[in-house]
Amino acid sequence: MIDLNGVWRFQGFAQGSGLSEGAHLPAIGDEDWMQARVPGDLFADLEQNDVIEDPYYHDYVERCRWAEEREWWYRCSLRLPEHARADRWELVFSGIDTDAVIYWDGEPLGETHNMFREYRFDVTERLKGSDHHRKHLIAVCLSPIAERLEAMHEARKSEIPGFWSVFHEGRVWARKSQMHFGWDWAPRLVTAGLWRGVELRAYQAGCVRSLFAQTLSANPQRAILRVEAEFERFSLQSLRARFVLEPIEASTETDPITHVVDIEWQGDNGKARANIEVANPALWWTHDLGTPNLYRARVELLQDGQRIDTHETQIGIREIALQTEADGEKRFTFLLNGVPIFCKGANWIPADGRTGNISPARYAGLIRLAAEANLNMLRVWGGGIYEHEAFYDECDRQGILVWQDFMFSCATYPDHDPDFLSEVEAEARYQIGRLRSRACLAIWCGNNECQWLDDLFHWQDRERKVPGWRIYHEMLPELLATMDPNRPYIPGSPYGGDDHNDEREGDRHNWQVWGGQVYPRRFGQASQHDPSPSNVNFRRYAEDTSRFVSEYGIHGAPPMVTLKQTVPPSELYYDSPGFLNRIKDPDKNRKVEMMRAHTGLPNDLSQYVTLSMLTQAEGLKFGIEHFRRQKPHCSGSLFWQWNDSWSGISWSVLDYFMRPKASWHYVKRAYTPLIASLVWKENALEVWLVNDRLEPVKTNALLRVMDFNGKVQWQQAWQADAASNQSQLSLRIENPPLTALESLVAVVQSEGDAFPMNTLFFKEFKELALPKPIVEVRSQPVALPMCCYDFELRSDTYAHFVHLTVPAPEARWTDNYIELLPGETRTIRAVSPVPFAPDEVHVSYFLPNPE
């Protein structure tokens, strides 16, 4: 194999002129062309060459639109190694974004029209007689796609019955990331480039085309795996297959398990399979339930006992299933190794709009932060990309389950078009084959919101099938039945029941809280909208009786340092054009609608940052705790959204620079495996214990209701017994003797911090009579390779939303945005790659009427 990744040359041309100027010809030099990185992204390459400035600063992304209108040529030269020989040479592009023509030594080699699949080109004949002295040229012409799509859509949109598409219409004709055309959290950035790797592969008598390892059964004593491989041969020589399985990390010396088997050939295509028994297997678990143990599965193609090709993948031995009924009711519960689990997670979008520019280190950091925040599932949303291998590698290693959408979102798709369906089938075959051995992969899903929104738009037509139905209900399930038969599949999200977003069956997207939709709704009913503060109110999460909530969320600002980094100083004020440009929701007024109910409206940018962060954090906490209390009736909470693809203001809990918002810290606490959740309803105070661990917990607990100066009005101690893997009401107090509710806070704590302290107010935040606290901060250096300090905080009164900042934007805090009880101390740690002085720390907190 010859790795062709690294430095290429690229240049832009007026549309259609590159060929006439000889951009494909070896005789035309490219010494004066710009340098590009492959794999990579056009906009990253342009920025690296100082052609454009950072597109995520200010409004610069709009200034880059000219690049969409040009064609871009990428070129690379290669020589074969000395004495190189092969029966088959293949030029392989793992991903091209999107419309391209490939040339080899000036001659056309093939075309691409789908960024979601691999392309292989046989160049054996072109390399006959070649040696290491001869230089070969690969040239790739990337055509502008947006204009083509708009013209195609204008000419053909009538072919799609009842057409609709959110945010951009022409996108539905392209097998390209749909968010590249803009979404309500991302700017339009229509990328191009060689976004995944390029190789020249050399094969001898044959090659391995695929390897699939699946767990048929597993328990701690014994597991049965089935391994299957596909091959292609280039001669009639005798070939066999050897399967090898070995643990990646073993505490003791373990011999690999090996099976040598014959290959069944049909023409030049062959298959081999074997069942492998593993004694005392190390099972794969999510990180919150155990260890995500991994094995290495390998297949070797043998000729006369010698290996001529090999393919390997990391796998986990585990069973995954979806339970849809239990105890006489509908459920949506994942079973991992037979154990029903509550999925604590979030929705994942591409980690950069420049999707070819996402590094393994970025993936590792984002997924590490997910594990630290106690997430055990990420949903790869259907308007983004099938993620890079590094994403799935990290989820495998860090014990995070993946809900995988196919890449269709919020639109009608032309499933009547044979060419479109052919591309989708090739894409699906490639992606299923690529991902099906992954331990982390829990479920396939046909699309995001296509059936649901289509029914909202065409609610009077009860017989209608959404354009795209043939894909979600026929093609994909048929492919999965043969290629990945043991993994759950659902045709869309949300999907199930009487209304695709029915709370009584399947999964559900709760946007009534943020967007003001009125629910329940049933098939044949028009949708309704109520934007009043009583409806756009996160307390309404408590009305949701869903089985699994796969989307819900609240807007929240990033830290002020991020706004200062991305908005010019002249625009750094509330509702300035530069500030509003950070928000891609078409209705920019929605940024404050939920604040009306909970915190009141901001007067300036600083208040907006604080109040939007507080609303998002408290709202997610409220929703998460509610859904967890409903376990097992509800078995999943995937909030929208985990990360950001650019430096905007969105529903994410981590900003583009991976800086946690307040909500990240709140989510971390709310997703702790054992929580005590407080509920105030009908003049009764309840404490619920939710335990996701597989063992019971017993602890001494204390519930107090105190005023903000620390005077206890009422308290009760009790032994809190949390049964394993259950939610239960632990304590209920009817009519507690409470007065002046606007000045009270309920506090529940446990002995030895068996669960994190939790609190509850009896009034909305804007109605609280919070006194201004005096917060003392003491620092203590910690001997670590990086700059590190422990900060001890103490307040004279109750203090809410207390957070520290230092003049080191990349400092990471073990905890932040915390509560301080009167006279009690808490310690949090800051670790920074950049030195800072401890006396530069700044403390802030929430007051309903900021001074």
Side-chain angles (χ1 to χ4, degrees), residues 528-668:
Q528 299 181 40
H529 182 255
D530 175 10
S532 68
S534 62
N535 199 46
V536 182
N537 184 314
F538 65 66
R539 308 291 175 194
R540 295 204 63 203
Y541 284 134
E543 303 170 17
D544 193 324
T545 59
S546 300
R547 271 53 177 166
F548 192 108
V549 188
S550 47
E551 279 193 23
Y552 66 101
I554 299 169
H555 240 230
M560 182 65 81
V561 65
T562 296
L563 293 176
K564 290 180 177 180
Q565 189 173 338
T566 54
V567 178
S570 62
E571 301 270 351
L572 204 60
Y573 60 91
Y574 187 59
D575 273 358
S576 74
F579 165 80
L580 292 175
N581 188 55
R582 298 289 102 191
I583 301 173
K584 294 307 175 186
D585 189 334
D587 183 359
K588 299 185 189 301
N589 289 327
R590 289 205 301 176
K591 69 183 184 296
V592 296
E593 290 307 312
M594 192 169 289
M595 295 185 206
R596 294 182 191 277
H598 301 292
T599 65
L601 300 182
N603 297 316
D604 56 32
L605 182 58
S606 178
Q607 285 187 26
Y608 169 76
V609 170
T610 297
L611 297 184
S612 69
M613 272 200 184
L614 177 67
T615 302
Q616 181 191 41
E618 294 284 355
L620 288 180
K621 172 182 181 288
F622 187 90
I624 289 169
E625 290 190 11
H626 165 73
F627 296 129
R628 291 189 67 187
R629 289 194 303 270
Q630 307 311 303
K631 174 182 177 174
H633 175 88
C634 177
S635 293
S637 153
L638 309 182
F639 63 82
W640 186 273
Q641 65 206 62
W642 182 244
N643 57 319
D644 254 326
S645 64
W646 86 304
S647 49
I649 299 172
S650 76
W651 294 261
S652 72
V653 300
L654 294 171
D655 74 12
Y656 173 73
F657 302 103
M658 296 167 48
R659 296 170 185 146
K661 301 179 184 180
S663 51
W664 182 87
H665 296 279
Y666 272 60
V667 164
K668 179 180 178 180

Side-chain angles (χ1 to χ4, degrees), residues 22 121 161 178 216 312 350 459 542 609 627 657 682 691 706 720 739 815:
F121 300 99
Q178 303 288 268
L216 299 183
E312 71 176 40
W459 59 273
V609 170
F627 296 129
F657 302 103
E682 299 173 355
N691 184 14
M706 64 178 70
T739 59
D815 204 355

Side-chain angles (χ1 to χ4, degrees), residues 479-500:
L479 288 174
L480 288 164
T482 58
M483 296 184 69
D484 193 13
N486 295 323
R487 204 178 317 267
Y489 169 77
I490 57 173
S493 180
Y495 192 81
D498 184 1
D499 174 30
H500 296 301

Side-chain angles (χ1 to χ4, degrees), residues 241-274:
R242 177 165 57 209
F243 293 109
V244 181
L245 180 71
E246 55 188 346
I248 290 179
E249 293 184 7
S251 57
T252 60
E253 193 70 26
T254 304
D255 292 332
I257 302 173
T258 301
H259 284 257
V260 178
V261 298
D262 292 328
I263 300 173
E264 300 173 5
W265 294 100
Q266 289 186 345
D268 290 331
N269 297 310
K271 293 183 179 181
R273 61 184 57 84

